[in-house]
Each structure stands twice: as structure tokens, then as C-alpha cells.
Amino acid sequence: MNWPTKVGTTFGVLSRHSASFKRSVVDKYLSGDESYASAASDHGVDAATVRKWVALYQVHGDAGLLGKYGRYDAAFKLSVLERMWEDGLSHRQTAALFNIRNAGCLTGWEKRYHAGGIEALGPRPRGQPMSKPPAPAVPVAASDEAKSREELLAELKQLRMENAYLKNWRT
């Protein structure tokens, strides 16, 4: 397999393929002589990747092929989801339209929105918390010394019945 050796960076983001490599693959497909699969196999990439690059190029031109790193606020995420729902677009089409590199994040946005509304689309804490919150207080049962003889015998009888049940259940 012919693996590309070019690696480009844009805005501090390391990209597996340079923009010029992506453009050459897109041009090969857009020439009309090749399918997604054949253009992909000639360059050692996946056909779905070529399809994504072509869609990004057709909507955004060369800027769609540049590396991109971004965080999106809740209002933007909601507008993207609303446009997707109103126009009946797929996640891939929506990602290409809004120049979002990872179409899979739309699934997460959708789930979070349905679970918690626009507040759930806001920034989430990253990483692990620095310290664990204190454990909730467990109600303290009355000590055995404070119980009467009858209460202790009733508890013993209950525990013996549970034990017998569990022994029979295992067999």
C-alpha cells in the first residue's frame, strides 16, 4: 500500500495528511475518471475519508481541507442541530456544511441536547476531578447493645432465614 509521507500542521494541529495531498486526492476524484474507492486506494486512504474531503472542498474550497481545531459554544451547537433537523440532513452532510471535522460529535450533541436541553450543550469539565467529594453520610443503625433481647432474636431469625434461602438458591 502506498502510504503518504506528508504531514502538515495548521494552527498547531497535527494532520496526518497535508492540505496539498488532500487537494490532489480530491482533484483526482473530481476529474470524473475515478470513484471514491479507486481514488482512495491509489493514495492509501479510506473511501469514506475521500468522500469527506470532497464534501468539505465542495462547500468550503481549499479552507475545508486545512486542519481545524475548535470549540463550539452551546448556541452554535443548537443552531447546527436545528438546521440538521429542519433540512433533514445527515450527520455527515451537516458536518460538511458547517465545516465540522468530526461528524460523530453531532451524535453526542444530539444525545446531550435531548437529555438536558441547551444547558447540556455547554462546556463540560475535562479530565478527572482533583479530589473526590465526601461520601454521603450513612445512617447509623442502633448498636446491638441498645437493642432488646427480643429485637436481637428477631434479627437473628431473619438473618438465618435469608442465609437458608441463599443456600437453597445456589443449588
Side-chain angles (χ1 to χ4, degrees), residues 1-5 16 37 40-47:
M1 188 168 264
N2 181 20
W3 294 102
T5 57
R16 182 177 203 171
S41 66
D42 289 348
H43 292 88
V45 294
D46 185 54

Side-chain angles (χ1 to χ4, degrees), residues 7-98:
V7 176
T9 60
T10 305
F11 306 115
V13 176
L14 186 62
S15 174
R16 182 177 203 171
H17 308 288
S18 68
S20 61
F21 173 78
K22 293 176 187 178
R23 177 67 191 264
S24 67
V25 175
V26 168
D27 287 342
K28 191 163 194 169
Y29 169 78
L30 291 176
S31 70
D33 298 334
E34 304 222 10
S35 66
Y36 288 121
S38 63
S41 66
D42 289 348
H43 292 88
V45 294
D46 185 54
T49 302
V50 175
R51 189 178 316 118
K52 179 174 77 171
W53 290 347
V54 169
L56 286 169
Y57 178 76
Q58 288 175 329
V59 175
H60 302 286
D62 285 329
L65 300 178
L66 296 174
K68 182 180 175 192
Y69 177 79
R71 294 185 189 269
Y72 307 104
D73 63 0
F76 174 77
K77 292 176 184 179
L78 182 59
S79 68
V80 169
L81 291 174
E82 288 173 342
R83 175 74 184 271
M84 180 175 71
W85 296 329
E86 288 170 6
D87 294 349
L89 300 172
S90 70
H91 290 153
R92 184 174 295 178
Q93 291 170 324
T94 305
L97 180 65
F98 287 94

